Amino acid sequence: MVLSVCEHRPHRLPEPLQARRHAAVGRSSPASASFDSKRGGIALTALALSRFQSQPRKKSARTASENEQDTRKVQKQWETEERQAEFWDHLFEGPEDAFRLAGEDPDILRQKRVMIMISDTGGGHRASAMALADALQELYPVHITIRDVWTESCPWPFSTVVKQYMWMAKHTWSWRMLWYSSKFPVSRWIMQKFANVLCKRVFMKAIQDDNPDLVISVHPGTQHIVIKALKKLARRQGSRSRTPFVTVVTDLGSAHPMWFHPEADRVFVPSDAVKSIALKCHVRESVIEEYGLPLRRAFWNAEPRTRQEVRQVLDIPEMKTVLVVGGGDGVGRLFQVAEAVGHQLKTLDGGAQLVVICGKNEKVRKQLQAVSWPPTVHAHILGFVKNMDEWMAAADVIVTKAGPGTIAEACTRNLPVMLSSYLPGQEQGNVGFVIEGGFGDFSTDPLVLARTVVGWLQDEKALQQMSNQAAAQGRPRATLKIAQAIGQKWLTTRTSTMLSMLEKLLKAGSGSSRLDSGPDASERLPEHVGQQLSEALRELKQAQQDCLHSEASLRDAKERVRKALAEAGQFRRSPQDLLSRSGV
């Protein structure tokens, strides 16, 4: 209802009031922001001369204090008339201007804008950005833009970072050199200095164009340069504080030092290992929060269907299933791994099926489609799919490179994970996360990998144990928790503030309490606008009462549970023992 008021555009004011308004503005003080210095000076000079000529000169000289009092009085009168005229002129362009004149936050009703910074070096960063955008828009009425400024606007060589990443992902020796050399403080400082010289202005322009209330980074390359750009923009605007900046780390078992900036307002990490790296990089512990990795919307909730039901929906046979993926770009020796697993599955009694998702790698997809698979193995060779959650829910085991997003998503589907490769440095920690977590293994040898997977499928007990360990590591609600923590800090308006503002506007418009004197009835709010405001105020108060009632009911329910546990503890030693026996 409040938004409908912002969008409403009534007719212009009556002519007498417009005349008053223009007369007041014409006598505006020199300090008025509506005039430039030249026009304001001319108007002030003409006005002073006319008043000087129209008044008779007094023989007795006035004191300096009396002259100063008269000047202040005239100045105050000018400001009052101008403010009243501006109030009624801007009132019908949006309530936020009226609130500004009443001393409130001018942006309180404006839709908040969030800018998410990424670089498309691998599909995981964009997937995480889109997951955060979905979660934020699920919880708050915000406008979100996702920007890869490096590729969009930066000069060479930064404009080619995506192509460079694709090449280095296939030639891992080059990625190893870049990753470890950039960890060294001196070389990292040189890289950042070079990037700042060539690209900082580009980032500043992108931020100015989007005009965000909050900037979120989900890529290690958009930390230091973005914070420098935000600080420079704040200095230009004469502000003591810059736009808030949040980092959401999308690496799981380890992280590059470039992920962390000591001046970040909040840093969200997915694991204890990454948190320890953040602390070593001088990030304040008070700004670090650990919820897990941001996942796509399909993985926010557990799969309600059984594996058999999902297989029926996907129209695949009911048999042991191995899912082989290579990430969105289909990298990581996908052909060799899939071929080895497919031929090894023929040793399983009762047959098995192989599902290979090649992503955007059309070359590998065509090669695998041309392979002659064993008769007992049903092979499904797919390209890019949008229902990865269903294919994971249908599988017994997943074989993948050590991408953090795929591992975290597999955990939400209770899938044992077999890792086939990793990017040196960046994904190496993910291997330890899987092995130490007890829900998978790693091998670069396709034949060893295939035999290990078949061994899991032949041992139901071991397979179920790894499935349970994967479920223990899964954090399906991480994305919503991150979004809620961000929104509560920077994207919400306190209910009490909103109530106060609506009441002030109603009083100002109804004539019961004006900003300035003036009995003209035409200065009151139009009746239908007042009705909309009254209805919005009533609904907001009712919603606030409902929330308070719900909180009170929740407290009462918790108290009843506490008392029930205390009584039950008399028979089962303690409430804690009762909870542990109940599996809570």
Side-chain angles (χ1 to χ4, degrees):
M1 184 56 65
V2 177
L3 292 178
S4 66
V5 176
C6 297
E7 296 171 356
H8 185 70
R9 296 288 188 274
H11 295 293
R12 297 290 295 173
L13 294 174
E15 290 298 324
L17 188 56
Q18 289 192 40
R20 283 186 56 190
R21 184 257 177 188
H22 292 301
V25 174
R27 297 193 302 271
S28 176
S29 87
S32 173
S34 60
F35 289 93
D36 56 43
S37 57
K38 185 175 180 181
R39 292 177 60 191
I42 294 174
L44 184 61
T45 303
L47 181 62
L49 287 174
S50 63
R51 292 197 175 189
F52 177 78
Q53 294 174 356
S54 62
Q55 293 179 0
R57 296 186 180 182
K58 297 182 179 180
K59 296 181 179 180
S60 58
R62 296 172 59 87
T63 64
S65 60
E66 290 175 339
N67 289 331
E68 186 176 353
Q69 289 177 1
D70 289 345
T71 302
R72 283 201 302 267
K73 189 179 298 183
V74 173
Q75 177 87 2
K76 186 176 181 181
Q77 181 183 359
W78 284 350
E79 291 177 353
T80 299
E81 292 176 347
E82 181 191 9
R83 188 168 71 253
Q84 186 176 15
E86 287 185 356
F87 172 78
W88 292 111
D89 184 60
H90 290 295
L91 177 62
F92 301 119
E93 297 179 6
E96 59 270 21
D97 294 299
F99 297 143
R100 175 178 61 82
L101 295 169
E104 299 288 355
D105 182 0
D107 296 331
I108 200 70
L109 292 182
R110 181 175 66 82
Q111 186 182 36
K112 298 293 184 180
R113 300 178 63 87
V114 178
M115 185 178 188
I116 303 180
M117 292 283 198
I118 69 165
S119 178
D120 277 312
T121 51
H125 297 292
R126 183 168 289 276
S128 297
M130 294 178 68
L132 279 174
D134 286 344
L136 288 169
Q137 290 176 330
E138 180 85 7
L139 300 175
Y140 307 99
V142 295
H143 177 272
I144 297 177
T145 55
I146 300 175
R147 299 287 301 273
D148 179 2
V149 180
W150 295 111
T151 304
E152 293 172 5
S153 310
C154 287
W156 187 90
F158 300 101
S159 59
T160 62
V161 291
V162 176
K163 294 180 180 179
Q164 294 173 21
Y165 171 82
M166 292 297 296
W167 187 87
M168 287 187 290
K170 297 176 182 178
H171 304 82
T172 55
W173 60 267
S174 60
W175 180 262
R176 182 183 290 106
M177 290 179 57
L178 176 64
W179 203 87
Y180 285 105
S181 63
S182 59
K183 283 190 69 175
F184 188 59
V186 175
S187 58
R188 186 168 70 249
W189 180 85
I190 294 173
M191 292 178 184
Q192 291 172 351
K193 195 71 174 177
F194 182 56
N196 289 334
V197 170
L198 293 182
C199 302
K200 187 170 72 173
R201 291 183 180 179
V202 175
F203 275 86
M204 289 173 61
K205 180 161 190 319
I207 294 171
Q208 283 182 314
D209 290 344
D210 284 7
N211 189 27
D213 300 282
L214 174 69
V215 177
I216 302 175
S217 170
V218 293
H219 191 277
T222 52
Q223 314 295 321
H224 293 72
I225 191 169
V226 174
I227 288 183
K228 283 182 177 294
L230 291 174
K231 292 167 68 175
K232 183 69 174 290
L233 287 172
R235 288 195 297 270
R236 281 187 178 181
Q237 297 167 0
S239 174
R240 295 184 178 180
S241 60
R242 55 165 174 77
T243 302
F245 179 85
V246 171
T247 299
V248 180
V249 182
T250 58
D251 282 332
L252 192 57
S254 61
H256 195 280
M258 288 179 65
W259 268 114
F260 308 105
H261 196 291
E263 296 182 33
D265 298 289
R266 199 65 52 95
V267 178
F268 294 93
V269 298
S271 63
D272 293 336
V274 177
K275 180 178 180 179
S276 64
I277 298 173
L279 293 172
K280 291 178 182 178
C281 293
H282 310 293
V283 177
R284 295 162 291 161
E285 189 171 7
S286 60
V287 304
I288 300 176
E289 296 190 33
E290 181 181 340
Y291 294 119
L293 206 69
L295 305 177
R296 290 174 287 183
R297 179 186 291 271
F299 295 93
W300 292 354
N301 297 297
E303 176 58 60
R305 299 167 293 183
T306 64
R307 184 177 288 119
Q308 291 73 20
E309 291 172 342
V310 177
R311 288 173 181 170
Q312 289 177 359
V313 172
L314 295 174
D315 195 22
I316 59 176
E318 176 55 39
M319 56 178 56
K320 294 292 184 181
T321 304
V322 177
L323 176 63
V324 181
V325 300
D329 301 311
V331 298
R333 297 190 305 161
L334 184 59
F335 177 81
Q336 295 88 341
V337 171
E339 187 181 34
V341 172
H343 284 88
Q344 196 66 30
L345 286 175
K346 66 183 180 182
T347 61
L348 284 177
D349 296 334
Q353 63 186 343
L354 173 71
V355 179
V356 185
I357 297 179
C358 303
K360 301 174 184 177
N361 198 330
E362 280 296 307
K363 180 180 178 180
V364 171
R365 185 178 69 86
K366 292 178 181 178
Q367 290 176 343
L368 288 171
Q369 286 177 337
V371 173
S372 297
W373 302 101
T376 57
V377 176
H378 295 262
H380 308 272
I381 312 302
L382 307 173
F384 188 85
V385 300
K386 295 183 178 180
N387 60 336
M388 180 64 78
D389 58 309
E390 290 185 320
W391 287 107
M392 285 189 179
D396 295 282
V397 176
I398 185 171
V399 180
T400 177
K401 77 182 193 73
T406 305
I407 294 173
E409 290 172 353
C411 288
T412 67
R413 293 300 178 260
N414 310 342
L415 265 182
V417 178
M418 186 68 199
L419 300 177
S420 59
S421 63
Y422 63 86
L423 281 177
Q426 177 181 341
E427 296 177 347
Q428 188 170 353
N430 300 340
V431 177
F433 180 82
V434 170
I435 296 176
E436 293 170 10
F439 60 95
D441 207 343
F442 166 76
S443 177
T444 57
D445 188 329
L447 184 58
V448 173
L449 180 152
R451 288 175 177 172
T452 304
V453 169
V454 171
W456 292 350
L457 295 175
Q458 291 173 337
D459 189 346
E460 288 288 345
K461 185 177 180 180
L463 192 65
Q464 184 60 46
Q465 184 176 358
M466 285 192 294
S467 178
N468 295 337
Q469 292 293 335
Q473 296 291 336
R475 296 184 177 183
R477 308 299 289 176
T479 316
L480 290 170
K481 288 182 179 179
I482 294 172
Q484 187 175 24
I486 291 173
Q488 288 179 347
K489 177 67 177 178
W490 289 289
L491 304 178
T492 57
T493 302
R494 293 181 60 182
T495 305
S496 58
T497 303
M498 198 68 103
L499 286 170
S500 173
M501 294 168 65
L502 283 173
E503 289 171 346
K504 284 184 178 181
L505 186 58
L506 278 172
K507 289 179 181 179
S510 64
S512 59
S513 175
R514 303 181 187 281
L515 292 178
D516 298 294
S517 59
D520 194 340
S522 62
E523 296 187 14
R524 299 179 183 177
L525 282 174
E527 184 177 354
H528 66 283
V529 177
Q531 290 176 352
Q532 288 180 337
L533 286 174
S534 299
E535 186 177 349
L537 180 61
R538 184 169 58 253
E539 290 181 356
L540 187 59
K541 287 183 176 180
Q542 183 61 46
Q544 187 181 40
Q545 292 175 358
D546 293 343
C547 289
L548 294 174
H549 179 71
S550 299
E551 290 177 1
S553 300
L554 181 61
R555 286 195 299 269
D556 293 342
K558 287 182 178 179
E559 182 64 20
R560 289 195 296 271
V561 170
R562 188 190 67 78
K563 291 180 179 179
L565 285 175
E567 294 180 3
Q570 299 175 4
F571 303 97
R572 289 181 178 263
R573 291 183 294 179
S574 69
Q576 288 75 16
D577 180 63
L578 177 65
L579 290 175
S580 63
R581 289 173 178 267
S582 303
V584 178

